[in-house]
Amino acid sequence: MNDWLTGVGCDPAVLVTVAMVEGSGPRAAGTKMVVTQRQQFGTIGGGHLEMRALELARRMLLSVSPVSLQRFPLGASLGQCCGGVVHLVFEPIGAALEAVLSGLDRCPRQDRWRLSCIDGATSVLLDACGTIIAGAGTGLPSFACANATHVLQDDGGRRWLVDACRAPQAHLTLFGAGHVGAALVRALADLPCHITWVDERADLFPATLPANAMQEASDTPEALVEQAPAGASFLVMTHSHALDLRLTEAIMARADVGWFGLIGSQTKRRQFEHRLRARGCAPDRIAAMVCPIGLPGITNKAPCVIAASVCAQLLMVWEADARIGGAPPRPVGAGLPAIKV
């Protein structure tokens, strides 16, 4: 998700952040990349825009340079058809900024805000209550925490980058560590989501999991249904049809679940529909169950193909939820009109 973070610690380096976008731009505000003389971690997109940003960042590495804010009219100066204006902040990564950025790896499931003074050397990381959790500084400005990454000016005329480091809100509880489950976890590894991966067979889990996944080797997987956050997505693909049915019943017993997919054929769906009706499940909940899973028209049953198809299906669901505000609530404090620090 934050592939640019792998470049933090590669010294010397410059952090490039999309601070604001006016009109159409290749990437949204908050997008970042880390640039060294020989490498690039992450991407701000945009072809010519990124090439110019790389040139400027590497020029900064040749001398002691302060933080800078640069404005790029995409059409007028770069000949790009987007036509918008992108504002980039360039920050040389010293020990202080490195410590702040490293704080993003802690508690990755919670929103964070980074305040960086463009006209100074202060950079801090804040939690949802405005408490400094990395870095140090005084005279920090208050800001509207509901806003995306942006630039503001304090009462003294100093400009600040307010970098909203949002935790992904999409959560998938995946039951089954077989070939398809493992392929799906790999496919979702770099995407903005959190995965709880459940199976009673602990030996099936790989030695190393992606950063956005955690395993649960449980003999009572139904309990993990209850523990999932409101609005979570569920995907059931265990080794046992009987267990699949028990999990399906547990999922349908919750009124606040999001998308629910069950691996299987149309025949399996009809069998489950019959059994669920006999157990008193509501017809609308049964109708909402996605089975078979995956995008229509993709029929290859290789695990990697199923994973790619379901991954695309989940992204469509999650982006639609985000557009209509269907994601679960953000942490306490995120609904306040401003964070005061």
Side-chain angles (χ1 to χ4, degrees):
M1 288 183 290
N2 290 328
D3 52 347
W4 61 272
L5 267 175
T6 59
V8 175
C10 297
D11 195 26
V14 172
L15 173 65
V16 183
T17 303
V18 179
M20 295 185 297
V21 178
E22 302 172 44
S24 178
R27 297 291 301 272
T31 304
K32 303 173 187 66
M33 68 178 180
V34 169
V35 181
T36 70
Q37 281 293 0
R38 296 183 178 274
Q39 290 182 280
Q40 167 188 349
F41 302 86
T43 173
I44 60 168
H48 196 185
L49 171 67
E50 184 165 278
M51 184 181 72
R52 288 286 294 120
L54 290 169
E55 291 172 353
L56 288 173
R58 286 174 175 148
R59 193 180 305 161
M60 291 179 71
L61 291 172
L62 298 177
S63 61
V64 179
S65 302
V67 178
S68 69
L69 173 64
Q70 301 290 334
R71 180 178 181 272
F72 296 87
L74 299 181
S77 65
L78 299 179
Q80 295 188 215
C81 60
C82 295
V85 177
V86 176
H87 301 257
L88 301 180
V89 170
F90 294 78
E91 300 174 82
I93 301 178
L97 180 55
E98 182 178 334
V100 168
L101 297 176
S102 297
L104 291 173
D105 276 336
R106 300 190 293 272
C107 300
R109 302 195 177 202
Q110 298 179 20
D111 287 347
R112 296 286 187 259
W113 284 266
R114 188 171 67 91
L115 281 181
S116 185
C117 187
I118 297 169
D119 302 308
T122 301
S123 183
V124 298
L125 191 65
L126 309 172
D127 65 14
C129 297
T131 302
I132 295 177
I133 55 177
T138 58
L140 305 177
S142 299
F143 58 93
C145 58
N147 291 345
T149 296
H150 61 286
V151 173
L152 62 77
Q153 192 169 46
D154 65 19
D155 293 339
R158 294 184 303 172
R159 296 168 301 167
W160 293 80
L161 171 66
V162 182
D163 188 12
C165 304
R166 303 285 191 187
Q169 295 300 293
H171 184 108
L172 174 67
T173 300
L174 169 63
F175 295 95
H179 295 295
V180 178
L184 183 60
V185 170
R186 291 194 297 269
L188 292 169
D190 294 322
L191 299 179
C193 64
H194 297 295
I195 308 162
T196 300
W197 194 10
V198 187
D199 201 296
E200 59 194 13
R201 303 162 295 175
D203 59 306
L204 288 187
F205 291 110
T208 304
L209 290 180
N212 64 342
M214 66 178 184
Q215 71 181 52
E216 290 282 355
S218 174
D219 293 329
T220 56
E222 295 95 332
L224 276 301
V225 175
E226 300 176 8
Q227 295 174 20
S233 301
F234 291 89
L235 189 53
V236 173
M237 48 176 63
T238 79
H239 62 291
S240 163
H241 279 207
L243 177 56
D244 284 355
L245 183 60
R246 296 203 312 270
L247 289 167
T248 297
E249 286 188 82
I251 292 166
M252 290 192 173
R254 284 190 59 168
D256 59 351
V257 302
W259 182 90
F260 164 45
L262 170 70
I263 197 169
S265 62
Q266 287 289 353
T267 300
K268 180 177 179 179
R269 181 185 182 96
R270 286 193 292 269
Q271 291 175 347
F272 271 52
E273 286 178 342
H274 176 74
R275 294 169 183 172
L276 292 167
R277 284 195 296 268
R279 287 162 169 76
C281 290
D284 60 327
R285 301 301 301 279
I286 297 174
M289 177 179 68
V290 178
C291 180
I293 55 175
L295 298 181
I298 298 178
T299 59
N300 189 313
K301 295 183 180 180
C304 59
V305 176
I306 297 173
S309 180
V310 174
C311 183
Q313 188 175 32
L314 285 167
L315 284 173
M316 292 171 65
V317 170
W318 292 337
E319 290 199 5
D321 284 346
R323 285 194 297 271
I324 65 175
R330 292 197 176 274
V332 174
L336 299 175
I339 286 184
K340 299 185 183 298
V341 291

